[in-house]
């Protein structure tokens, strides 16, 4: 049997209707491997007005799989959806492969670890919750150590426990 690989995947969905969408996405991800842990889910406001209609739910999962990094990237990209405006608005779903084992990659298709993982205060906090002991292969610090020095996530607040979205 192939050795399992560990990946961190960031998920952002429209807040309105997001709980059901998140459960569907996580069920699809479970078809490709195992969700080892999931961070808390945060509500990120996209405008200063802090209106739920203009907010996203965001979280990070730690995923164990026998898929290659290319297969994992393909799975992540296949689940992304660009929302469209108007009456038949399709919801927005953004997934980002943050890390895959200790891989360091720089290609037009994929950069690992994700270059903005440590610069976005909410993403680094969620990633540290999902896999705090992961050692960033470039900074040589754990995600817990990196998140302790991150700036506060100003436009975000706790929404729900991540484990409420998936049955472990």
């Amino acid at each position: 049997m192939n050795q399992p690989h560990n990946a961190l995947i960031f998920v952002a969905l429209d807040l309105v209707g997001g709980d059901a969408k998140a459960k569907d996405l996580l069920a699809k991800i479970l078809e490709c491997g195992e969700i080892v842990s999931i961070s808390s889910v945060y509500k990120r406001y996209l405008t200063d007005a802090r209106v739920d209609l203009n907010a996203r739910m965001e979280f990070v999962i730690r995923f164990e799989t026998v898929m290659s990094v290319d297969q994992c990237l393909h799975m992540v990209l296949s689940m992304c959806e660009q929302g469209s405006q108007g009456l038949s608005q399709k919801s927005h779903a953004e997934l980002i492969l943050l890390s895959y084992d200790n891989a360091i990659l720089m290609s037009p298709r994929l950069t690992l670890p994700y270059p903005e993982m440590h610069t976005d205060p909410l993403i680094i906090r969620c990633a540290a919750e999902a896999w705090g002991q992961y050692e960033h292969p470039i900074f040589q610090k754990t995600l817990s150590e990196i998140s302790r020095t991150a700036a506060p996530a100003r436009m975000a607040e706790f929404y729900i426990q991540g484990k409420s979205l998936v049955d472990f």
Side-chain angles (χ1 to χ4, degrees), residues 38-86:
I38 185 168
S39 73
S40 299
V41 180
Y42 291 86
K43 182 191 304 186
R44 186 191 301 244
Y45 295 102
L46 303 179
T47 63
D48 287 333
R50 291 186 174 242
V51 177
D52 281 0
L53 285 173
N54 284 335
R56 292 217 203 125
M57 59 187 295
E58 300 185 5
F59 56 95
V60 171
I61 63 167
R62 178 179 172 190
F63 177 64
E64 192 174 270
T65 184
V66 294
M67 293 190 305
S68 70
V69 67
D70 286 335
Q71 291 169 322
C72 202
L73 177 63
H74 178 75
M75 177 199 73
V76 165
L77 293 176
S78 71
M79 293 184 189
C80 293
E81 299 172 359
Q82 252 340 80
S84 56
Q85 300 304 315

Side-chain angles (χ1 to χ4, degrees), residues 19-131:
D19 293 30
K21 180 98 175 166
K23 287 179 181 180
D24 289 346
L25 262 176
L26 293 172
K28 286 179 189 167
I29 290 171
L30 280 167
E31 293 172 8
C32 303
E34 181 184 348
I35 295 173
V36 177
S37 60
I38 185 168
S39 73
S40 299
V41 180
Y42 291 86
K43 182 191 304 186
R44 186 191 301 244
Y45 295 102
L46 303 179
T47 63
D48 287 333
R50 291 186 174 242
V51 177
D52 281 0
L53 285 173
N54 284 335
R56 292 217 203 125
M57 59 187 295
E58 300 185 5
F59 56 95
V60 171
I61 63 167
R62 178 179 172 190
F63 177 64
E64 192 174 270
T65 184
V66 294
M67 293 190 305
S68 70
V69 67
D70 286 335
Q71 291 169 322
C72 202
L73 177 63
H74 178 75
M75 177 199 73
V76 165
L77 293 176
S78 71
M79 293 184 189
C80 293
E81 299 172 359
Q82 252 340 80
S84 56
Q85 300 304 315
L87 292 174
S88 62
Q89 185 173 8
K90 184 178 177 187
S91 66
H92 178 274
E94 179 182 359
L95 285 81
I96 299 170
L97 185 59
L98 299 176
S99 70
Y100 181 88
D101 289 338
N102 291 322
I104 299 174
L105 283 172
M106 286 186 71
S107 74
R109 281 187 59 210
L110 180 63
T111 300
L112 287 177
Y114 181 65
E116 293 171 28
M117 176 166 52
H118 67 284
T119 61
D120 184 311
L122 186 56
I123 292 177
I124 192 61
R125 280 201 170 65
C126 289
E129 263 188 61
W131 193 6

